[in-house]
Amino acid sequence: RKDLRKFCALYSQYGKDSVLLGTLAYNCGPGVVNKSSILKKLRRGDRNIFKEYTAHCRYKGKFHKQLHQRRLTEFSFLFSL
């Protein structure tokens, strides 16, 4: 919980999206999030990030079905309109 709070705090300027970004940073690392198209879109004010968020489902360069399911679940629980 402490680590997740730390990652959410990194993205606190994104308001309600900070938890979603923090969760992704917790799972993939903040470097991945900082370079991602998700963050670029949010900086522009575009919140249409479903496709980009769920694309973070690869392990050792290969598509991983369980990771994809995890991203879908995270997005449905943590993304608020």
Side-chain angles (χ1 to χ4, degrees):
R1 290 183 194 176
K2 183 179 177 183
D3 290 338
L4 182 58
R5 275 188 234 133
K6 177 181 74 171
F7 287 122
C8 290
L10 284 174
Y11 304 103
S12 61
Q13 70 267 25
Y14 296 97
K16 57 187 171 184
D17 296 321
S18 65
V19 177
L20 191 65
L21 292 169
T23 302
L24 189 61
Y26 178 80
N27 288 303
C28 299
V32 170
V33 176
N34 292 339
K35 296 176 190 174
S36 72
S37 57
I38 298 168
L39 199 57
K40 290 174 187 172
K41 282 183 118 177
L42 290 174
R43 284 183 183 146
R44 290 192 313 250
D46 183 1
R47 293 192 71 233
N48 185 16
I49 59 171
F50 176 79
K51 182 180 173 186
E52 290 80 4
Y53 189 82
T54 56
H56 289 275
C57 58
R58 299 196 174 274
Y59 179 70
K60 294 185 178 180
K62 295 184 180 180
F63 177 80
H64 196 273
K65 186 177 179 179
Q66 281 78 23
L67 286 177
H68 183 67
Q69 185 60 45
R70 179 189 294 178
R71 297 296 171 256
L72 291 172
T73 303
E74 289 169 356
F75 193 84
S76 67
F77 283 122
L78 301 175
F79 186 78
S80 60
L81 296 173

